[in-house]
Amino acid sequence: MFSDLLIKRLKKAKTVAVLTGAGISAESGVPTFRGEQGLWKKFRPEQLANFNAFIENPKLVWEWYNFRKNLIRQVKPNPGHYALVKIENLFTDFCLITQNVDNLHRLAGSRRIYELHGNIMRNRCVDCNKQFDEILFDDENLPRCDCGGLIRPDVVWYGESLPDDVLTKSFAAADKSDVFFSIGTSAVVQPAASLPVEAKRAGAYVVEINFEPTVITNYVDESIIGKSGKILPELMKRILND
Ligand code: BJW
Ligand code: ZN
């Protein structure tokens, strides 16, 4: 399943960077974005995850986020998340870059996490940017800040900039990585999708783990087709036993 070259590169590696996407949480029961299961009430994520949609219909967008928040509160990290915690402990310089907003890497125990698209459990005011943790509201009364502004989930929507510091650190990590993993992401959403490309350009051995081929499969050094919850624990064992 794993090439000898991958194991050799990992044995020698000092710096390892991992990019994860919705696929790593799929085995915990969190739906991915693209494909049939990404649909919620027949809306595509692009129709909901953008600022204009929120301003036009905040109730609808909040309904989607509340639905997802409730689901996420009920799920647990899976063997893929836990294997990444163990892999983190094997390398001097490791970072986990995630596009996910579901907090499952933190719950599993990963330490150096760069959240590119925010966190669904945080909120902020659209006008003054004040941060709010847990907010309680019913469907009729949308949450508002003391300044009167609407409160929104603190996530990154289409057309919005990613957090500057997180993005800079993520590209720096891709640049210096000896081995770079792209796991459970369709690799179509920019700028996250440029990270494996940047890592390869800078000389890393780039490995993709995905349930099916993606747009970067032919570009990476090694593509492993399968579920991350199965592949990652096996990879961890192989690194330890080899
Ligand atoms: C498994 C599995 C198992 C399943 N095991 N695998 C340059 C070129 C073209 C476009 C752009 C560009 N620069 C910017 C853009 C526009 C846009 C973009 O990229 N659009 C493309 C879609 C065309 N990007 C942006 O707008 C970004 N902003 C930005 O760049 O600002 C500057 C700028 C603005 C405007 C113009 C130019 C510059 C922001 C992107 C924010 C994305 N936000 C979302 C929502 C976050 C909040 C929330 O969760 O509600 O982030 S959209 C959604 O997609 C979410 C995800 O993090 C993201 C990526 O999805 P992901 O994780 O890859 O999930 P899926 O579902 O696509 O794939 C799952 C994969 O798992 C599949 O491959 C399965 O096979 C696999 N799988 N089970 C292993 N068990
Ligand atoms: Zn405010």
Side-chain angles (χ1 to χ4, degrees), residues 20-27 31-35 37 45-46 49 64-65 68 98-101 117 120 155-162 183-192 209-214 226-229:
T20 62
I24 193 149
S25 296
E27 288 158 82
T32 58
F33 289 91
R34 287 158 196 90
Q37 61 154 329
E46 306 87 279
W64 183 48
Y65 278 96
R68 291 172 57 205
T98 188
Q99 298 169 83
N100 300 345
V101 298
H117 293 162
I120 198 168
V155 297
V156 181
W157 284 329
Y158 284 109
E160 296 184 328
S161 302
L162 279 65
I183 304 172
T185 175
S186 55
V188 293
V189 174
Q190 296 291 350
I209 300 175
N210 199 299
F211 195 50
E212 58 190 21
T214 72
K227 292 189 173 179
S228 47

Side-chain angles (χ1 to χ4, degrees), residues 2-10 179 205 207 222 235:
F2 313 111
S3 75
D4 291 341
L5 182 57
L6 168 59
I7 303 303
K8 201 169 132 202
R9 294 291 288 253
L10 279 171
V179 180
Y205 190 76
V207 184
E222 189 157 336
L235 176 64

Side-chain angles (χ1 to χ4, degrees), residues 171-184:
F171 271 92
D175 258 342
K176 67 171 177 168
S177 62
D178 301 312
V179 180
F180 185 98
F181 288 92
S182 177
I183 304 172

Side-chain angles (χ1 to χ4, degrees), residues 36-235:
E36 266 303 299
Q37 61 154 329
L39 296 180
W40 174 80
K41 291 193 176 177
K42 299 205 174 108
F43 293 100
R44 280 178 285 109
E46 306 87 279
Q47 294 173 282
L48 299 160
N50 73 76
F51 188 72
N52 288 344
F54 181 71
I55 293 304
E56 270 165 33
N57 197 344
K59 195 169 165 249
L60 174 77
V61 174
W62 263 120
E63 215 187 306
W64 183 48
Y65 278 96
N66 282 338
F67 166 82
R68 291 172 57 205
K69 271 188 348 192
N70 284 335
L71 191 146
I72 286 165
R73 279 197 195 98
Q74 290 163 39
V75 303
K76 292 190 181 74
N78 66 57
H81 295 104
Y82 289 118
L84 286 176
V85 179
K86 297 207 171 117
I87 292 172
E88 175 164 20
N89 295 332
L90 299 177
F91 297 94
T92 28
D93 191 2
F94 178 97
C95 78
L96 176 51
I97 307 161
T98 188
Q99 298 169 83
N100 300 345
V101 298
D102 61 22
N103 230 12
L104 289 180
H105 286 303
R106 192 159 288 117
L107 267 183
S110 285
R111 292 188 307 275
R112 203 196 288 177
I113 308 170
Y114 300 152
E115 287 177 328
L116 286 174
H117 293 162
N119 189 305
I120 198 168
M121 298 302 171
R122 282 196 320 254
N123 309 280
R124 68 182 163 86
C125 170
V126 294
D127 288 338
C128 73
N129 242 354
K130 183 173 169 187
Q131 299 265 338
F132 297 84
D133 291 332
E134 202 53 54
I135 44 167
L136 293 171
F137 62 98
D138 56 57
D139 280 354
E140 297 314 312
N141 299 293
L142 292 168
R144 287 201 179 262
C145 175
D146 330 323
C147 80
L150 269 176
I151 296 177
R152 58 167 280 180
D154 193 7
V155 297
V156 181
W157 284 329
Y158 284 109
E160 296 184 328
S161 302
L162 279 65
D164 243 351
D165 54 333
V166 178
L167 192 60
T168 306
K169 282 185 196 157
S170 301
F171 271 92
D175 258 342
K176 67 171 177 168
S177 62
D178 301 312
V179 180
F180 185 98
F181 288 92
S182 177
I183 304 172
T185 175
S186 55
V188 293
V189 174
Q190 296 291 350
S194 297
L195 287 164
V197 178
E198 174 60 19
K200 188 158 166 60
R201 190 203 56 76
Y205 190 76
V206 180
V207 184
E208 179 179 57
I209 300 175
N210 199 299
F211 195 50
E212 58 190 21
T214 72
V215 289
I216 61 163
T217 300
N218 289 332
Y219 179 78
V220 299
D221 294 294
E222 189 157 336
S223 156
I224 302 167
I225 300 288
K227 292 189 173 179
S228 47
K230 182 167 180 287
I231 307 279
L232 285 167
E234 282 176 14
L235 176 64

